[in-house]
Amino acid sequence: MYITRAIRNELLSQAFQQGLTLFVFLIVVFLSISAQVDAQSMTKSFNTTTGQLDVNYAGYLSKHDLVYRRSIADRADGIPVGTGKVGALIYDQGSSVKLHITGVDASPHTMFASGRVAISANPPLPSVNIERRLSLHDGTAIIKNSSNNNTVKMTVFGDPNSELLAIKVEDPRVGSGRSYTIDLDIWDNSIVNCNGGGGFPPGDPSSWSTATTGKETNPENPVAIALSRGQSDPNNYGYTMRVNHQNGSKGGSPTVNSFVLNSTAARLVIYNPSPDFTIWIAVASRVNATGYNSEGAAFNIIGNARRVGASAILNSFTGFWHSFWSKSFVQYSSTSADARTDYDYLENLWYLHHYVVASASRGKNPFHFMAGVHRFNEDCEGNPYFNPSFWTAGYWHFNQRISLFPLLASNHAEFLDSYHNFYKSSTEDIKAITLRKFSGTCENQTCVARPNKSCTCDADCAVEGMWTPEVLAFDGLFPADTGTVSKELERLSIRTPFVDQDYNHNRRFQPGSSEVLYNNPNVENIMSSGAEVAEWMWKRYLFTNDQNFLANTAYPYMKETVKFYKKWLQLEDGVYKIKGANAQENWHWVTNPVPDIAAVRYLFSAAKRAAIILNDTDASFTSDLSTFITKTAPFAVGPYMKITGEIGTKYLPCSTVIDEYKVGEFGPNESNCENLYDDVDLGTPWESTRFYGPYNLQTPELEMLFPHGVIGAATSSNAYKIAKDTYLARANYDRDRSFGTWKGSNYTGSWLYFYDKPTDILIDENPWKLWIWSQDAIYAARLGLRDDVTKILKRMALRNNQFRNGIPWDGNARFDSIGVNATAINESLLQSHDYHNLDSANGSIRVFVSPPSDLNAPLDDQNVVGSTSDVNFNGAFTLAAEGGFLVSSERESGKTKYVGIKSLAGKQATVSNPFDGEEFRVREVSGRVVAGPSKTWVAFPTTLNWVYIVERTATDRKFNDYMHITKTGTPNNGEKSISIPATNGKFFSFEKEPYNTATPEYLQLTSLTRYLGSNAGN
């Protein structure tokens, strides 16, 4: 018997008021105890045959449809549609419906949009009732205009197997003089000028700064118009767009004429159109065309579409998306009226992120974090303060990982093919870059190319293996003398002469000479990118058990990356140190940056396991892996001041910074990294200070949590405690406040614990200060900090989701924030990486690690406060886990109902207690118990494709006690948004407010006094 808390309280009140007997009172108390789980429904959705949740995906995903009951004037807010190879944003311009179209492989790195198609009707489309909808389950965009019982409907879809979009038009209006005009165009002849003279794409810029148009009448493709660009690109990029009309099933005898308006525009006019017809749009890329003939490919693509027919291609398109969605599921909702809208919005972003990534992940080019196929800014996609196409000039791994990482847990590893193939195909070029960048002679007992390394002969300076640049071009080539890469990328990742006063502090020697060159310091010495790529490949193996991928792609990349680290690491004082590397973009030329220390620990362990799996007998490679693992330097630790005034210990981003402000001075001056923020006077130019501020707002000191996962919620208490304190004291801090100004300057950083003049500080509560790539929510999820995850995701949505379609816009990293949202939600629901022992077979399956509690509970500086119960959270999922498992679970009213596991590889499974300390067991569907009972964790062998149930042992809430239902949803019929909390003087004030010394949690913002003593932590 289950009663609500309200009824329980009323019964208790009546018992006292009426003087009921003790016996009756005890009965009421018993009922009140049972009410602790009163809100949990006795239903389940796990299917023991399929091994995943039963979901009516059409019904459930309909609640996440993007819906506008209006015209969309801003193309940035358009409805997205995509096939994996080509896509568009759909918006309105006057009475026209317009598609801003991008082909994945049409240009290097998908750096340019391809063109526009506008559809206009005569008479104009009805305007009394308007609907614009992305039908998420089908993947289609629906355009409806209605009045006077007439509805004009356009369905936008495509061919998942070719570079084709289609628009099926249904217009029942009749009468003479009716027509449709289809305009195909590209911006103007200033295309590519937005590159600011950056010279991209490489080779022949004129090929991209001009376009050609044409028309054609052919029996197979009657009356078509076309637009071509990049036809002389030496790297075989470039494309042809071709537009053609085809009558539908309702007959009619339209007349179709074509016109070339100018070199950038052509027009198709359909007179007396059929009540239904299809507009075919090919975006044929040269790189995928036979003989690089994109004009011929466009002709063939539309010819094939006409033969197959619109209905068959639409069925193929919707089938592709139905299959895509069926592989995983996430429910992230709340029963609280206050939080329901926000949880729904964050869940909506999870599905939207997967849609936009999958829409652009089936080409030769990998999905690009700035571009995808849902571009709206013509050729100019990037930060307007820099080169507007700056960020699409290559693949920046840090941002790519944020967008693509969720795909593994979401059971979509195949959509990583293009990204992993991109690195695999670049291997030999990367090796050449490595030798050119780091090999050099020994002069004056110092390696010229590595001034942090001492030597006695040239052989001491040799490097081996592969250093993967943080920024990599489409062909993997960087040498300046090849002429194949733009000046922008040369500046970013290889030594290129250019002078910029902002970079004078980071001078380097040209390998093999004494010439001093100036380089962008942010990425040139990031060493950890290659290790992350290699780890990611290894994790793909762990999720999929694809041994062919391990042998042919992952392990070779892992091996070459490990070889490089072996040569780069230096044995000093009994430990291997990394010297002269960057801690992400924040800190330059440092020793033992956290990302590299974490990478060595994880990657070397993974390589050791992979060598065993593949029976690698190369002893020169495998024999010393364990030595490097055990002797790699520990993470550096240092003091920080807590809000209470106590001194705590946190991980530092590095151990020492090499002081190199004088030309040629690379040491021995080194400073402990605990001083990075100390003594910085932000009122004076940073060049005059001894220690400098970060060059970007990343958080490298927390990279051991993500992506490397060597510390987390299940780690030993000391390491976890330090990691948690590091998170709470992180310098890139944006939970409740960040500095708006300091000493009158317009400084927008957020160093919270390092200054002792609080009256000079203006507190900026504006959530727009949370950076689009901030991974704080992922760190919080891996630490099990349930309150932080959703609050930070909400703040990121407030900052980045300016448009109703949910697609962020930021001049530096467009899709990062919804990638963080998807990863953080995945990590809060399921974690499977192993923190304890990286040499073990698999990680432990842990469900609902960070289920959110009260979304609106406040946070102080040192502790997660508010509700400790997720009683209002209603969560469910089917996601993939390391080891080759499909895991499903449901949670309501603060209690997990069960866990269902399908073994996809037949490996041993380890499961941590999902029932908050209650005794549990694991059984087969037949009922045979295979593990448990236990109150901690269990490990058990599995059989390929068998399903296992994890359930309580001692209550009436075993798996079979729940009644089976299929999950579904109610269609969405309006625009979604995140709520903006009311301004109460603390949260989300959109005005800068003076510092209030009476606010208790702000009283301890004092400078950090030198802490004497040592604190150990790994």
Side-chain angles (χ1 to χ4, degrees):
M1 178 179 182
Y2 302 101
I3 61 175
T4 66
R5 288 177 176 78
I7 295 174
R8 175 201 63 189
N9 293 337
E10 180 64 22
L11 289 172
L12 288 172
S13 175
Q14 291 180 13
F16 282 112
Q17 292 174 8
Q18 299 175 15
L20 297 180
T21 65
L22 177 62
F23 175 75
V24 174
F25 176 70
L26 289 175
I27 292 177
V28 175
V29 171
F30 171 77
L31 293 176
S32 73
I33 294 173
S34 69
Q36 298 304 310
V37 290
D38 60 355
Q40 188 181 76
S41 63
M42 292 301 294
T43 60
K44 65 173 182 283
S45 296
F46 185 68
N47 185 318
T48 56
T49 300
T50 64
Q52 60 187 92
L53 297 181
D54 272 342
V55 180
N56 175 355
Y57 282 94
Y60 193 90
L61 289 178
S62 70
K63 76 174 188 174
H64 290 309
D65 286 355
L66 294 180
V67 180
Y68 298 75
R69 298 291 180 181
R70 58 176 173 84
S71 297
I72 305 172
D74 190 338
R75 63 179 181 241
D77 205 15
I79 293 289
V81 69
T83 71
K85 298 176 183 290
V86 62
L89 280 176
I90 305 168
Y91 58 102
D92 298 88
Q93 189 172 65
S95 60
S96 300
V97 174
K98 207 158 190 175
L99 281 73
H100 198 281
I101 299 172
T102 303
V104 173
D105 295 331
S107 59
H109 321 120
T110 320
M111 67 182 301
F112 300 140
S114 302
R116 299 176 297 208
V117 170
I119 304 101
S120 305
N122 179 32
L125 297 175
S127 57
V128 174
N129 297 305
I130 295 175
E131 178 181 311
R132 307 288 183 260
R133 178 185 294 266
L134 168 63
S135 177
L136 201 60
H137 182 241
D138 289 341
T140 55
I142 309 295
I143 310 299
K144 284 185 180 180
N145 288 63
S146 305
S147 65
N148 301 324
N149 298 318
N150 282 321
T151 297
V152 178
K153 178 182 177 183
M154 300 183 194
T155 304
V156 186
F157 57 100
D159 183 359
N161 300 309
S162 69
E163 296 171 310
L164 177 77
L165 287 177
I167 307 169
K168 182 178 176 59
V169 180
E170 299 170 85
D171 186 347
R173 298 176 298 172
V174 296
S176 61
R178 292 175 55 248
S179 66
Y180 269 81
T181 299
I182 316 300
D183 283 314
L184 167 65
D185 77 335
I186 196 168
W187 2 118
D188 55 43
N189 284 322
S190 66
I191 48 183
V192 185
N193 283 357
C194 64
N195 286 325
F200 240 100
D204 182 13
S206 65
S207 179
W208 293 91
S209 60
T210 58
T212 59
T213 53
K215 64 177 183 176
E216 180 185 21
T217 300
N218 184 288
E220 284 193 57
N221 279 205
V223 192
I225 53 177
L227 181 154
S228 293
R229 186 180 177 203
Q231 292 298 300
S232 60
D233 178 79
N235 299 293
N236 302 317
Y237 283 99
Y239 60 93
T240 296
M241 295 184 68
R242 186 180 181 93
V243 178
N244 181 241
H245 156 273
Q246 185 176 22
N247 255 7
S249 60
K250 297 181 180 179
S253 301
T255 300
V256 183
N257 288 336
S258 58
F259 308 88
V260 173
L261 304 181
N262 54 50
S263 64
T264 61
R267 176 173 292 170
L268 205 67
V269 181
I270 309 164
Y271 301 98
N272 299 315
S274 166
D276 67 325
F277 61 91
T278 301
I279 301 166
W280 299 111
I281 306 168
V283 188
S285 60
R286 292 181 63 223
V287 74
N288 290 319
T290 301
Y292 308 118
N293 179 4
S294 61
E295 295 178 355
F299 179 90
N300 292 333
I301 288 170
I302 288 184
N304 179 70
R306 294 175 64 86
R307 288 188 293 272
V308 173
S311 295
I313 289 179
L314 177 59
N315 288 337
S316 176
F317 179 76
T318 57
F320 162 75
W321 283 108
H322 296 172
S323 175
F324 176 84
W325 296 121
S326 70
K327 298 188 70 174
S328 57
F329 174 78
V330 157
Q331 177 183 331
Y332 196 82
S333 60
S334 175
T335 59
S336 166
D338 293 335
R340 186 178 299 123
T341 298
D342 291 337
Y343 278 65
D344 176 73
Y345 187 78
L346 297 178
E347 181 183 315
N348 180 233
L349 292 183
W350 188 93
Y351 285 100
L352 177 65
H353 176 75
H354 285 79
Y355 183 84
V356 298
V357 171
S359 291
S361 293
R362 301 179 68 244
K364 177 181 178 181
N365 281 341
F367 172 87
H368 195 288
F369 72 94
M370 276 299 297
V373 292
H374 299 124
R375 302 178 59 115
F376 63 85
N377 207 21
E378 301 169 353
D379 288 340
C380 305
E381 204 73 65
N383 190 325
Y385 295 105
F386 297 98
N387 180 329
S389 287
F390 185 74
W391 310 118
T392 52
Y395 294 103
W396 301 63
H397 172 70
F398 178 86
N399 305 94
Q400 292 291 137
R401 82 182 190 192
I402 296 173
S403 295
L404 297 176
F405 193 86
L407 296 181
L408 287 175
S410 301
N411 201 23
H412 293 298
E414 70 276 11
F415 285 87
L416 296 173
D417 282 347
S418 57
Y419 196 58
H420 288 152
N421 289 340
F422 165 68
Y423 281 99
K424 177 184 178 181
S425 65
S426 301
T427 297
E428 294 306 314
D429 294 317
I430 295 173
K431 287 181 181 179
I433 294 168
T434 304
L435 290 175
R436 181 175 184 267
K437 181 177 176 68
F438 295 111
S439 287
T441 59
C442 180
E443 296 181 9
N444 300 321
Q445 297 184 334
T446 300
C447 293
V448 171
R450 297 174 60 189
N452 58 291
K453 181 175 176 60
S454 60
C455 59
T456 59
C457 61
D458 290 351
D460 293 339
C461 301
V463 293
E464 188 180 354
M466 191 165 64
W467 165 80
T468 302
E470 168 66 13
V471 186
L472 194 61
F474 64 91
D475 56 5
L477 296 177
F478 285 88
D481 56 1
T482 66
T484 62
V485 181
S486 77
K487 294 177 182 178
E488 296 296 347
L489 278 183
E490 292 171 8
R491 287 174 60 175
L492 288 169
S493 292
I494 200 68
R495 306 177 190 286
T496 303
F498 79 96
V499 178
D500 187 325
Q501 183 177 359
D502 290 343
Y503 298 136
N504 281 350
H505 67 286
N506 217 17
R507 302 179 176 187
R508 298 286 185 270
F509 282 112
Q510 172 75 355
S513 76
S514 58
E515 179 185 3
V516 176
L517 298 177
Y518 303 88
N519 301 273
N520 181 323
N522 281 18
V523 298
E524 69 157 338
N525 281 323
I526 293 177
M527 303 296 166
S528 56
S529 300
E532 290 181 23
V533 172
E535 286 180 30
W536 202 357
M537 292 177 176
W538 166 250
K539 283 185 175 293
R540 177 172 175 172
Y541 164 74
L542 292 181
F543 275 92
T544 64
N545 198 45
D546 185 344
Q547 194 156 322
N548 182 62
F549 175 81
L550 176 63
N552 296 313
T553 300
Y555 187 59
Y557 209 96
M558 296 164 68
K559 194 169 183 177
E560 294 302 319
T561 304
V562 168
K563 287 179 181 179
F564 171 78
Y565 268 113
K566 284 184 177 182
K567 287 290 187 179
W568 190 268
L569 289 161
Q570 299 181 44
L571 187 62
E572 294 182 4
D573 304 321
V575 297
Y576 285 104
K577 297 181 179 180
I578 297 169
K579 305 187 73 174
N582 285 11
Q584 289 293 352
E585 295 187 31
N586 273 33
W587 308 108
H588 305 160
W589 208 242
V590 302
T591 299
N592 297 334
V594 164
D596 290 277
I597 297 300
V600 168
R601 292 187 182 186
Y602 187 95
L603 181 59
F604 278 53
S605 297
K608 181 180 174 182
R609 290 170 58 187
I612 295 172
I613 293 170
L614 297 174
N615 193 29
D616 185 351
T617 59
D618 181 1
S620 64
F621 175 74
T622 59
S623 61
D624 56 357
L625 290 175
S626 295
T627 301
F628 278 98
I629 294 168
T630 57
K631 289 189 175 182
T632 296
F635 297 120
V637 296
Y640 78 102
M641 181 171 286
K642 297 184 178 182
I643 204 71
T644 59
E646 300 174 287
I647 298 296
T649 301
K650 67 173 183 176
Y651 290 118
L652 302 173
C654 50
S655 59
T656 57
V657 177
I658 301 173
D659 189 2
E660 44 153 343
Y661 287 92
K662 296 179 181 179
V663 175
E665 183 181 324
F666 295 95
N669 289 335
E670 294 185 352
S671 173
N672 193 298
C673 284
E674 73 182 65
N675 300 321
L676 283 176
Y677 299 100
D678 242 1
D679 305 323
V680 181
D681 186 345
L682 298 178
T684 61
W686 66 264
E687 293 92 340
S688 66
T689 65
R690 174 174 176 79
F691 304 108
Y692 49 88
Y695 299 100
N696 208 334
L697 287 178
Q698 296 167 312
T699 318
E701 58 268 33
L702 289 169
E703 292 270 308
M704 76 281 283
L705 295 170
F706 175 85
H708 304 289
V710 296
I711 294 178
T715 318
S716 62
S717 58
N718 188 51
Y720 169 77
K721 179 181 182 301
I722 297 174
K724 179 182 175 183
D725 285 350
T726 306
Y727 167 83
L728 295 170
R730 62 199 184 278
N732 180 18
Y733 188 88
D734 190 279
R735 293 167 79 194
D736 297 342
R737 63 200 69 83
S738 63
F739 290 174
T741 64
W742 175 259
K743 297 187 177 179
S745 65
N746 292 322
Y747 176 70
T748 58
S750 51
W751 295 305
L752 199 57
Y753 297 107
F754 305 97
Y755 307 102
D756 55 4
K757 291 187 177 180
T759 55
D760 290 342
I761 300 171
L762 293 179
I763 301 301
D764 183 2
E765 302 283 0
N766 193 333
W768 299 81
K769 295 299 180 186
L770 190 61
W771 294 93
I772 193 167
W773 58 72
S774 296
Q775 298 171 118
D776 298 14
I778 304 175
Y779 301 144
R782 290 212 163 177
L783 287 167
L785 303 180
R786 65 171 71 208
D787 285 88
D788 276 29
V789 177
T790 310
K791 292 187 185 70
I792 293 172
L793 293 180
K794 178 176 177 178
R795 289 188 176 220
M796 293 193 76
L798 281 167
R799 178 200 185 276
N800 299 302
N801 295 96
Q802 301 95 319
F803 305 114
R804 295 297 189 183
N805 63 9
I807 300 177
W809 169 243
D810 184 282
N812 295 302
R814 189 173 177 205
F815 294 106
D816 285 20
S817 68
I818 55 175
V820 169
N821 181 84
T823 298
I825 287 177
N826 284 351
E827 294 286 335
S828 68
L829 299 178
L830 172 67
Q831 294 181 23
S832 59
H833 40 284
D834 194 332
Y835 298 123
H836 297 289
N837 181 5
L838 292 173
D839 288 327
S840 66
N842 301 306
S844 180
I845 294 171
R846 304 170 63 243
V847 304
F848 297 109
V849 180
S850 305
S853 52
D854 182 359
L855 183 66
N856 298 310
L859 297 171
D860 67 15
D861 290 300
Q862 296 303 319
N863 299 290
V864 179
V865 298
S867 172
T868 58
S869 170
D870 57 326
V871 65
N872 293 319
F873 176 64
N874 192 345
F877 66 85
T878 293
L879 295 169
E882 290 185 17
F885 302 103
L886 200 59
V887 181
S888 303
S889 188
E890 296 180 76
R891 185 175 177 94
E892 291 180 19
S893 304
K895 297 287 185 180
T896 299
K897 293 182 175 181
Y898 64 88
V899 180
I901 300 173
K902 182 175 183 178
S903 176
L904 303 178
K907 292 186 174 181
Q908 176 173 292
T910 303
V911 179
S912 294
N913 191 336
F915 302 116
D916 302 314
E918 296 181 58
E919 189 177 78
F920 74 101
R921 68 183 184 185
V922 181
R923 65 172 175 84
E924 297 170 352
V925 173
S926 65
R928 187 176 77 90
V929 176
V930 296
S934 173
K935 291 188 176 182
T936 54
W937 61 273
V938 296
F940 56 98
T942 69
T943 301
L944 180 65
N945 290 326
W946 282 34
V947 175
Y948 301 86
I949 305 298
V950 184
E951 63 183 1
R952 294 177 177 85
T953 60
T955 72
D956 60 349
R957 294 208 169 207
K958 294 186 177 69
F959 178 79
N960 288 341
D961 294 324
Y962 294 92
M963 178 181 66
H964 186 275
I965 63 168
T966 297
K967 289 186 176 292
T968 190
T970 302
N972 174 44
N973 285 304
E975 298 177 26
K976 291 177 181 282
S977 64
I978 199 83
S979 66
I980 300 177
T983 301
N984 58 11
K986 182 177 181 181
F987 282 108
F988 298 107
S989 166
F990 289 91
E991 300 291 336
K992 291 182 177 181
E993 299 173 347
Y995 182 83
N996 182 358
T997 56
T999 309
E1001 54 268 79
Y1002 291 170
L1003 289 178
Q1004 296 298 327
L1005 293 178
T1006 57
S1007 64
L1008 176 62
T1009 305
R1010 176 74 59 188
Y1011 178 64
L1012 300 178
S1014 61
N1015 289 278
N1018 291 313

